[in-house]
Amino acid sequence: MEDLRDKYEVVIGLEVHAQLKTKSKIFAPDGCEFGKEPNSETSPITLGMPGVLPVLNKEAVNMGILTGLALNCEIPERCKFDRKQYFYPDLPKGYQISQYDEPICVNGYLNVKGKKIGITRAHLEEDAGKLVHAGADGLAGSSYSLVDLNRAGTPLLEIVSEPDMRSSEEARNYMEELRNIVRYIGVCDGNLEEGSMRCDANISIMPKGSKEFGTRAEIKNVNSFSALQRAIEYEIDRQIEIVEEGGKVVQETRLWDDNARETKSMRGKEDAHDYRYFPEPDLMPLKISREWVEEIRAKMPELPQAKRERYMSLGLSEYDASVIVEQMGLALFFDEVLKLGASPKIAVNFIMGEIAAYLKENKLEINETKLTPENLVELISLIEKNTISNNIGKQIIVDMMKDGSKASEIVEKRGLSQISDTGAIKEIAQKVCDANPAQVTAYKNGKVQLLGFFVGQVMKETKGRANPKAVNEILKEILG
């Protein structure tokens, strides 16, 4: 299949649904907290009862505008809502209030690892509910389905990219950066597992050099970055196989089965006219003044790309900067450490080393430990003042994360202050040399790499407390 792939170019566009972090639904006062008892977060408006009217949630609009600005979109002075007609058991009204030809955000782009990916539009809409398939063996052999309408009416922002991606890796990078952005600006928690961020991938192939896109298939509701890549890779191979055998790719909606590692046909793909869009008669078109837009722009926090670039200007590698930015809690913690005046180099060594290892091993976020920025800064200060060695710092940082101890308290309690007294170090170094005459002779005969052995022995004798620089200088003096 790899040889056949060389004949084709892949075209990928993503439609990402981000659930907005409002306290109530987009057109109703009921809450939208995840994990509540089924059908407990509903109201007559959500249920589409006769005579009810929708009222637009202003905070959802604010979040839509903020996201659009973060994605370099234009915010039109007017947008409107439309009815999207379709029947599904978890859509109580029989239609969805969405935006069609006049969305809230248009003509944006996102720079992802040096590539500019266009964003056609971002529009506000309400979510549907959820079907819970039960009985027998679950979805595959379920004997009945239950409807949970808690999610119905939850505000969504659907972000539609241009078909500018050419590989599953590019699609994953775009999705990851988009999640970073919505999390940093506080409009969505980006939790793919809970469904608060969902992705539909549109994939087609065309012969290399062609200007005409092939027929696309849509893969619905992929819920992890790795699953997105796997689904795209499978779909590329499936379409190539169809074309190579003389068939035609059908425009359809498919589901990704991550257990079977394959896409499965769900239904024929609808076009816009199939939904019979028309303006929502119960909502007036929304006018968005330039003052409103600028008021929201003024609240824009530092975006991930700017944060990465700032970290790199402080001497961090591109890799370290990217890893820290990817974990928002870690980045905010790091920023507090920097504000307190700590050395970026020493701080990032701890964050990418002992702290990251501890968090990974215990499956924790930095804010779930008891380490504070102030305590880490104090630890770094003790190292810079040569009160303790860097190795001692690495030994005590885990205790600081576990119980919130201050570095100075641990050092004093355990007697870990660094030995900088050259007389005391010289005495220990001489003792080590006297105990290892064969290694001394080998060193003097040119095997200078043995210096590391002697340093290690001295550090062992002092339990890591000796000043490493002083140890090196004194050993060189003794060994000649």
Side-chain angles (χ1 to χ4, degrees):
M1 189 61 73
E2 285 298 325
D3 293 339
L4 290 175
R5 281 199 179 197
D6 292 337
K7 296 170 56 179
Y8 296 93
E9 186 169 8
V10 180
V11 180
I12 303 166
L14 298 185
E15 299 171 10
V16 178
H17 293 80
Q19 181 178 313
L20 300 178
K21 288 172 64 177
T22 55
K23 292 179 180 178
S24 57
K25 294 183 178 177
I26 189 167
F27 302 117
D30 35 317
C32 43
E33 185 180 337
F34 180 80
K36 290 278 190 161
E37 190 72 22
N39 296 306
S40 62
E41 298 273 55
T42 59
S43 68
I45 300 173
T46 296
L47 297 174
M49 302 297 283
V52 299
L53 292 172
V55 177
L56 180 59
N57 184 333
K58 184 177 180 181
E59 190 56 28
V61 178
N62 288 340
M63 289 182 176
I65 295 171
L66 183 64
T67 308
L69 294 174
L71 299 176
N72 304 292
C73 290
E74 299 169 18
I75 310 297
E77 294 189 15
R78 167 191 152 116
C79 67
K80 70 178 178 68
F81 289 89
D82 302 270
R83 286 192 183 181
K84 183 180 182 181
Q85 316 284 330
Y86 64 95
F87 174 78
Y88 207 64
D90 60 7
L91 192 69
K93 297 194 290 285
Y95 62 86
Q96 177 189 32
I97 301 179
S98 182
Q99 292 186 313
Y100 177 45
D101 56 339
E102 294 185 59
I104 191 168
C105 311
V106 295
N107 302 331
Y109 65 88
L110 190 54
N111 284 316
V112 182
K113 295 195 173 181
K115 179 168 182 176
K116 186 176 180 179
I117 295 172
I119 293 172
T120 311
R121 56 188 279 144
H123 61 265
L124 291 166
E125 63 184 19
E126 60 180 339
D127 205 350
K130 179 182 179 182
L131 284 180
V132 181
H133 304 286
D137 299 318
L139 180 57
S142 38
S143 54
Y144 63 91
S145 296
L146 300 173
V147 180
D148 180 6
L149 294 176
N150 278 351
R151 202 170 67 187
T154 297
L156 298 179
L157 187 70
E158 181 174 350
I159 302 161
V160 182
S161 82
E162 291 286 334
D164 288 345
M165 288 157 271
R166 295 294 178 265
S167 70
S168 63
E169 184 180 9
E170 283 188 1
R172 176 176 182 151
N173 291 340
Y174 167 86
M175 183 72 174
E176 288 178 339
E177 185 68 357
L178 190 55
R179 185 178 78 154
N180 282 339
I181 288 172
V182 296
R183 291 178 69 207
Y184 271 94
I185 64 176
V187 303
C188 175
D189 62 24
N191 193 323
L192 277 71
E193 291 75 20
E194 292 182 1
S196 57
M197 193 169 183
R198 310 194 292 274
C199 175
D200 301 340
N202 292 287
I203 302 151
S204 66
I205 60 170
M206 61 183 180
K208 280 200 170 165
S210 174
K211 301 294 184 187
E212 186 176 342
F213 291 171
T215 302
R216 64 187 169 92
E218 178 187 45
I219 305 175
K220 291 290 285 186
N221 292 343
V222 186
N223 65 356
S224 77
F225 299 128
S226 55
L228 175 64
Q229 269 197 280
R230 287 193 291 268
I232 291 172
E233 290 296 320
Y234 175 87
E235 188 60 24
I236 292 168
D237 289 340
R238 186 189 74 86
Q239 293 188 20
I240 289 175
E241 188 175 340
I242 290 172
V243 173
E244 285 292 315
E245 291 177 356
K248 290 187 176 180
V249 176
V250 177
Q251 181 171 316
E252 62 179 341
T253 296
R254 300 179 69 86
L255 288 175
W256 171 246
D257 185 331
D258 206 36
N259 293 321
R261 294 290 199 267
E262 63 181 12
T263 59
K264 297 177 180 178
S265 183
M266 181 182 176
R267 60 175 183 260
K269 173 63 180 169
E270 299 89 345
D271 287 314
H273 63 264
D274 295 316
Y275 291 117
R276 294 176 291 120
Y277 280 101
F278 66 83
E280 168 56 58
D282 294 328
L283 289 168
M284 292 290 289
L286 181 65
K287 293 184 178 180
I288 302 175
S289 69
R290 298 307 87 184
E291 291 77 17
W292 187 0
V293 172
E294 292 310 310
E295 182 183 321
I296 292 173
R297 193 194 303 275
K299 298 175 183 176
M300 181 75 70
E302 184 180 38
L303 296 176
Q305 183 59 37
K307 195 175 287 287
R308 271 191 294 270
E309 290 171 358
R310 176 165 61 84
Y311 289 168
M312 289 167 66
S313 74
L314 296 173
L316 275 66
S317 69
E318 183 177 1
Y319 173 79
D320 287 352
S322 296
V323 169
I324 293 174
V325 169
E326 183 70 29
Q327 302 173 65
M328 188 171 73
L330 206 56
L332 298 178
F333 181 90
F334 184 48
D335 281 342
E336 288 301 311
V337 170
L338 294 177
K339 283 180 188 175
L340 292 168
S343 159
K345 184 175 176 56
I346 300 177
V348 79
N349 285 342
F350 274 106
I351 287 172
M352 295 297 293
E354 288 67 34
I355 293 175
Y358 179 82
L359 296 179
K360 183 177 180 181
E361 181 182 347
N362 294 280
K363 297 179 179 177
L364 295 172
E365 297 289 332
I366 187 71
N367 60 1
E368 294 174 315
T369 74
K370 294 188 177 180
L371 180 67
T372 65
E374 291 79 9
N375 283 359
L376 179 57
V377 170
E378 184 196 44
L379 175 64
I380 292 169
S381 176
L382 292 176
I383 293 169
E384 289 180 317
K385 292 174 183 175
N386 290 323
T387 303
I388 61 172
S389 67
N390 196 56
N391 284 336
I392 292 294
K394 290 179 179 180
Q395 290 174 32
I396 67 176
I397 187 69
V398 171
D399 289 330
M400 294 170 64
M401 285 189 278
K402 285 180 179 177
D403 58 27
S405 301
K406 293 180 69 175
S408 56
E409 292 172 353
I410 298 175
V411 169
E412 184 177 351
K413 185 178 179 181
R414 299 185 193 172
L416 297 175
S417 295
Q418 185 163 265
I419 301 169
S420 297
D421 181 341
T422 54
I425 295 173
K426 192 168 186 178
E427 186 177 326
I428 296 167
Q430 188 63 59
K431 178 183 172 184
V432 166
C433 292
D434 291 345
N436 296 278
Q439 285 84 353
V440 172
T441 301
Y443 178 88
K444 290 184 175 181
N445 287 334
K447 204 170 181 181
V448 293
Q449 61 267 34
L450 279 170
L451 181 64
F453 163 78
F454 290 109
V455 170
Q457 292 300 306
V458 173
M459 297 306 288
K460 184 178 179 182
E461 286 289 325
T462 61
K463 297 181 180 178
R465 293 173 57 206
N467 184 313
K469 185 178 178 183
V471 171
N472 273 271
E473 291 173 354
I474 288 169
L475 280 168
K476 286 177 183 177
E477 180 184 329
I478 292 173
L479 292 167

